[in-house]
Amino acid sequence: MLAHLEGGELLQAELARRTGVSEPAVQSVLDPLVARGFVVRQPQGVEPPTFRLTMTGVKRLKKHREYSEARAGQEWRRAPAEEPEEPEKQKLVTWTWAGETPPAREGNPALEQALIEQLEHAALPQAELVRRTGAPPNDVQAALDKLIAETFVVRVEQDDLPAEYELTEGGVGRLKLVREFAESPMSAMGKVLGAAATEAVQRRRRPAAVVRSSRMLLSDSDREVCSTALAEQFGAGRIDIAELQRRTDLLYAATTRRDLGAVFEGLPAPSLDRESTGKPAPGWRSGAAGCTSIVSVFFGLMGLALISGHDDVDDVVVGLLLVGGAVVWNYLVWSWARRRVN
């Protein structure tokens, strides 16, 4: 279609005659080209409108021709018996017959971001998203399916109307994060790294209430500690021999730590959750941690370079992962280096 418009302005009927297809089919091809800025519609008053190429359309046609000629020359010069077959490259332009649905493009972050921005204020059907983004319907559907699988968008079915799509909380958070990166990459990176470090620390830190759970079963060492504590209370004169014997019977009849309340009623209960002691960590651990930290710093610098030097969302996310991985790695390595050994 772009090649037919290269010579000048043409009517829709003339394009249908040259391409050999019906006028509605020509119109279905022209509408996406007009939406993408490759073709412009020229109103002629009461006359039918004409269509002509824009500068963007001329560049698109020129690139397609250069690519096709270069690839044809490579295939003509290549000897299949001598050179291995190369994997087929993704076509820059896909030509389809009028009315035929073109194949969907997989992995289109720009389209996904555009869909999220369109769904920010209200739920919209697929047809409206196609109209607003100017992308083919199958590309829009593929991007929506991916966003639904990643829980950024949810599909809302309706009885007599087409299904609508709306953002979830995760989608709102993704949109906010991308905008923060666009405005201040370093500030957004600091927030994400801080949240990742806090989550890592909380996972490694076990609350004391969980360790001292009253439902934990008593072990032989627990009973030995409690028996020693009762003997100390008898030596201090707080209980007599008969009371010591009664409480000792209750102690060996107890099964959980909750049952120790009757054993030490009116007496200070011993602590059964003592931190394990061990030898200090050997010095070679610090040396190993230092060597791995130097390597992780290199990856952290690579991540900062990606974040500060690129505007692409994918590059920023990769840079964030590199920097966050370096920080978490250093924390885990130095925690291992300072851990005491038995």
Side-chain angles (χ1 to χ4, degrees):
M1 192 66 67
L2 296 179
H4 288 292
L5 292 173
E6 185 179 11
E9 298 183 5
L10 293 176
L11 295 171
Q12 180 178 341
E14 179 63 20
L15 287 172
R17 186 187 67 80
R18 293 190 180 187
T19 56
V21 296
S22 62
E23 291 190 20
V26 171
Q27 187 65 41
S28 65
V29 177
L30 287 173
D31 288 341
L33 295 177
V34 172
R36 296 184 181 183
F38 298 145
V39 176
V40 64
R41 181 185 286 107
Q42 297 287 345
Q44 299 292 335
V46 296
E47 298 294 333
T50 60
F51 298 87
R52 66 174 179 85
L53 284 182
T54 63
M55 292 301 298
T56 305
V58 173
K59 293 179 181 179
R60 178 69 176 270
L61 181 60
K62 182 179 179 181
K63 288 183 179 179
H64 173 70
R65 285 177 175 172
E66 292 176 353
Y67 170 76
S68 300
E69 292 175 0
R71 183 170 183 181
Q74 291 176 359
E75 292 179 353
W76 180 75
R77 291 190 300 267
R78 184 175 57 188
E82 298 177 0
E83 298 182 6
E85 295 184 358
E86 297 181 357
E88 184 179 357
K89 298 181 180 179
Q90 184 179 4
K91 297 181 180 179
L92 300 181
V93 179
T94 302
W95 297 95
T96 57
W97 293 101
E100 180 183 354
T101 302
R105 291 193 302 170
E106 298 181 358
N108 193 345
L111 179 58
E112 294 174 10
Q113 182 63 23
L115 292 174
I116 290 178
E117 292 177 355
Q118 295 296 332
L119 294 173
E120 180 181 8
H121 301 294
L124 297 173
Q126 179 190 359
E128 180 64 18
L129 291 172
V130 171
R131 188 188 67 82
R132 295 191 179 188
T133 58
N138 54 341
D139 287 356
V140 172
Q141 187 60 52
L144 287 172
D145 292 341
K146 184 179 178 183
L147 291 173
I148 292 174
E150 296 173 351
T151 67
F152 294 138
V153 174
V154 63
R155 178 186 175 97
V156 180
E157 298 289 348
Q158 302 187 87
D159 294 336
D160 300 330
L161 297 175
E164 293 185 343
Y165 298 87
E166 63 180 4
L167 285 185
T168 62
E169 294 182 1
V172 175
R174 170 175 168 172
L175 180 60
K176 181 179 179 182
L177 180 61
V178 171
R179 287 177 175 173
E180 289 181 357
F181 268 113
E183 296 175 359
S184 177
M186 299 303 297
S187 175
M189 181 189 67
K191 292 181 181 179
V192 175
L193 290 181
T198 302
E199 184 179 359
V201 171
Q202 290 177 352
R203 287 183 179 179
R204 293 178 59 85
R205 183 181 299 169
R206 182 175 299 178
V210 176
V211 179
R212 294 192 294 267
S213 175
S214 60
R215 296 182 180 180
M216 186 177 297
L217 296 176
L218 290 173
S219 62
D220 293 338
S221 59
D222 294 339
R223 290 189 176 87
E224 183 179 354
V225 171
C226 294
S227 178
T228 303
L230 289 175
E232 292 176 355
Q233 300 303 321
F234 171 74
R238 287 193 176 94
I239 55 177
D240 55 13
I241 186 65
E243 185 66 14
L244 174 62
Q245 184 63 38
R246 185 185 72 84
R247 292 177 183 259
T248 302
D249 294 339
L250 291 176
L251 171 62
Y252 284 94
T255 57
T256 63
R257 293 188 179 184
R258 180 184 298 177
D259 301 332
L260 295 178
V263 176
F264 290 95
E265 183 179 1
L267 299 176
S271 176
L272 302 180
D273 303 313
R274 299 179 180 178
E275 296 182 358
S276 59
T277 59
K279 299 178 182 179
W284 63 268
R285 286 193 178 185
S286 299
C291 294
T292 56
S293 295
I294 294 175
V295 177
S296 64
V297 167
F298 172 73
F299 286 101
L301 294 176
M302 289 179 57
L304 290 176
L306 286 174
I307 294 173
S308 60
H310 296 77
D311 296 332
D312 192 6
V313 176
D314 293 340
D315 292 338
V316 173
V317 172
V318 172
L320 178 62
L321 292 177
L322 288 176
V323 176
V327 173
V328 175
W329 175 259
N330 276 283
Y331 171 78
L332 296 177
V333 166
W334 285 106
S335 298
W336 168 77
R338 293 192 298 266
R339 191 179 302 165
R340 301 176 71 89
V341 297
N342 296 326

